[in-house]
Amino acid sequence: QACNKDLIINTDVLVEDIHFSELSTSSQNAGWKAVTANFSDLACSGVEKILGITVGLVAPPSTPWCWVDGAYEGINNALSQFGGKLLGGDCSSGKQKILSITAIGTKGPLDLHRSNAQPGDYLVSSGPHGLSRLGLDLMRSDNFTKSLRLSDSLKEKAIKCHQQPEPPLKALSKLITSKPTMLPWKAAATDSSDGFLEAIECLCTSSKCSAILEESNIPIDENLPKDKKLINWCLEGGEDFELVVSLPPIWANAWIASMPSCKKIGIMAQGPPQVIWSNGEKILRNSAVKFEHFSNN
């Protein structure tokens, strides 16, 4: 069917033992996650409608067919929930399982780009961070998570955040409908799939601004204890798939009012591309926590 709108196209790759493993991710969840990671990237680009995806699958010859069948079941489940059609793809043998998905959508009215941040903008997160990393460690039976007094419902929520993340399409919709009429269709955004702090640093680098964060406002789930390790997971754990947006204060306040999960986390300011606390201290990175695509996780 002909489309007379600009397209947004994104490719995301999930690699076994980097982004998923059999210890924590079923094939159904791997398929689901491959789709939703792509849709999260479309959301932070201002997608209006998701048209469809293509799938590239690599698997060792010894892979049971039930794994492949499960992966496509997860793919179809995600498409059924969030939209789009399976348009085609390719498959090949290889040394490890790889799911590479290209997603295609139409561009909406909102120009979302990392370079659009301005000094004086508010920084807003569409939801809490750190739950995905908590879910992963709960499944690994980590000694630290065993020591936490967490409710069963919170444990289930964290594991679901890791295994079946949802793209921030509702958050994008609320962002669009809450825009004050006098403002242009322009804001800066990215998603936090590679980490909350990493997302803000990307906005700073692209927009040539500094970001000043309020330590008391970091977007950690309100039911989690304020433990240093959990705070580090919030900052750098990755795979949370929330929007991190820089936008004018009047728009930020309207978005927060329309979506209770949103939270103001800081402001953009003139200065070199950097992220600092409001007291002027540098935010120290934690290499043991930071999500890395090129390391074994």
Side-chain angles (χ1 to χ4, degrees), residues 22-280:
E22 292 186 356
L23 295 176
S24 61
T25 309
S26 67
S27 58
Q28 290 90 341
N29 287 335
W32 172 282
K33 203 169 190 178
V35 173
T36 55
N38 261 280
F39 287 2
S40 183
D41 283 329
L42 293 186
C44 70
S45 299
V47 71
E48 183 175 62
K49 182 180 179 181
I50 296 170
L51 301 178
I53 65 167
T54 62
V55 180
L57 171 66
V58 176
S62 59
T63 302
W65 180 253
C66 62
W67 192 94
V68 177
D69 198 38
Y72 275 91
E73 180 183 340
I75 288 169
N76 286 320
N77 288 341
L79 293 175
S80 296
Q81 182 157 339
F82 302 111
K85 297 180 179 180
L86 179 57
L87 302 174
D90 193 16
C91 60
S92 175
S93 65
K95 293 183 179 180
Q96 63 190 135
K97 301 183 187 79
I98 298 172
L99 274 169
S100 176
I101 287 185
T102 296
I104 305 167
T106 58
K107 188 178 185 303
L110 180 55
D111 178 20
L112 281 179
H113 196 278
R114 293 176 181 178
S115 64
N116 287 342
Q118 297 288 327
D121 280 358
Y122 282 3
L123 270 171
V124 181
S125 168
S126 66
H129 289 73
L131 285 175
S132 177
R133 181 55 187 266
L134 172 61
L136 176 61
D137 280 57
L138 284 169
M139 288 182 289
R140 289 173 170 172
S141 297
D142 180 90
N143 287 331
F144 168 71
T145 55
K146 286 181 180 178
S147 69
L148 295 174
R149 294 182 177 179
L150 304 177
S151 66
D152 289 342
S153 61
L154 184 58
K155 291 178 182 178
E156 291 172 5
K157 181 180 178 182
I159 290 172
K160 186 176 180 181
C161 281
H162 183 76
Q163 292 184 327
Q164 291 188 312
E166 295 193 6
L169 295 168
K170 291 180 181 178
L172 172 63
S173 176
K174 292 287 188 181
L175 179 64
I176 291 171
T177 57
S178 66
K179 186 190 80 69
T181 56
M182 77 288 291
L183 293 179
W185 287 99
K186 185 177 181 181
T190 185
D191 80 344
S192 53
S193 56
D194 292 339
F196 171 65
L197 192 55
E198 179 81 9
I200 299 173
E201 288 177 344
C202 287
L203 293 177
C204 291
T205 300
S206 296
S207 298
K208 298 179 176 59
C209 294
S210 294
I212 302 174
L213 305 188
E214 293 287 346
E215 192 166 4
S216 60
N217 282 347
I218 63 168
I220 192 169
D221 189 282
E222 61 182 7
N223 294 310
L224 286 175
K226 299 300 187 288
D227 181 276
K228 184 177 180 180
K229 190 168 186 176
L230 292 174
I231 291 172
N232 284 334
W233 285 354
C234 170
L235 294 175
E236 301 189 71
E239 296 199 318
D240 289 299
F241 300 102
E242 298 288 347
L243 291 182
V244 179
V245 187
S246 171
L247 68 170
I250 187 173
W251 190 355
N253 288 332
W255 187 31
I256 292 168
S258 70
M259 191 169 179
S261 65
C262 288
K263 189 173 189 179
K264 180 193 172 189
I265 53 178
I267 61 171
M268 301 299 290
Q270 289 185 339
Q274 62 178 350
V275 187
I276 60 174
W277 295 121
S278 58
N279 62 6

